[in-house]
Each structure stands twice: as structure tokens, then as C-alpha cells.
Amino acid sequence: MADKSDDKKKKITVLDMSKYMDRSIRVKFMGGREVVGVLKGYDALLNLVLDETKEFLKAPDDPYKILDETRPLGLTVCRGTSIMLVCPTNGFEEISNPFLQEEEAV
């Protein structure tokens, strides 16, 4: 008789987050929020525990523009279903859009 534990599928994460443990990462959420923090834990559903978390504020006139201003959040739990992007902050820098056409002055 087959063991019931063999029948249950183990949840396997798509991302290997172990290489980012105790390192600073940037997380983008659905809805446009962005935070930076030190990864302290995660699970198979990509729920993240971040320490020393800082949220980037949005411009009051343009909700899609992220400012350099931050507000401290401290220790946070980020729900995996709302996470869109996870990237290390090491080597993260903004570049200009090479496909954006400069508007000609009239």
C-alpha cells in the first residue's frame, strides 16, 4: 500500500530566495507600491519577511511616479500573492529609456 505522504505534492518555489537571505532586496507590489528591505525569511508561496523596510513614496500629482523619499516601516510581512517583482538592490540602478523619442520643439 502506497504511503499517503508520497501522494501529497510538495510545494516548490519558482524562485530560489535562499541566495538573497540577509541581503537587501527591492519588492514591487500590485498597485504600484515599492519597498526595500533585508530578506529575513520566505516560504513556498513567496510570502516574504523583510526587516529594516522602507517604502518609496509616490508623487502627489502622478500616482505612477515613485519618488526618492521613503518612510520607514520596520519589520514587515509581504504577502506573496501581491508581489510582482523581487530584485536585489546590489547593482540596481535606473537608466534612461532608449526607446523614448525626444519631443521636437515647435
Side-chain angles (χ1 to χ4, degrees):
M1 187 162 164
D3 196 23
K4 292 204 181 229
S5 63
D6 292 338
D7 294 340
K8 289 186 178 183
K9 295 181 182 177
K10 292 184 180 181
K11 291 186 180 183
I12 300 172
T13 59
V14 176
L15 298 173
D16 180 22
M17 297 299 292
S18 63
K19 58 186 170 187
Y20 301 121
M21 287 296 292
D22 295 320
R23 294 196 177 146
S24 180
I25 61 171
R26 187 174 187 125
V27 180
K28 291 186 181 186
F29 297 96
M30 289 183 183
R33 288 188 175 187
E34 292 187 32
V35 298
V36 168
V38 178
L39 182 65
K40 292 296 181 180
Y42 65 96
D43 65 6
L45 300 175
L46 204 62
N47 296 313
L48 305 178
V49 177
L50 299 178
D51 196 12
E52 303 171 16
T53 308
K54 294 177 190 165
E55 178 184 10
F56 289 93
L57 300 177
K58 295 182 181 181
D61 56 337
D62 185 5
Y64 297 107
K65 185 175 182 182
I66 302 293
L67 302 175
D68 288 334
E69 295 178 49
T70 61
R71 71 175 180 148
L73 298 178
L75 184 67
T76 57
V77 176
C78 306
R79 188 164 176 170
T81 57
S82 65
I83 294 174
M84 287 186 1
L85 174 85
V86 177
C87 65
T89 56
N90 185 15
F92 181 86
E93 79 179 66
E94 188 173 338
I95 62 169
S96 62
N97 186 347
F99 302 106
L100 186 64
Q101 299 288 332
E102 290 186 30
E103 295 182 24
E104 295 178 357
V106 178

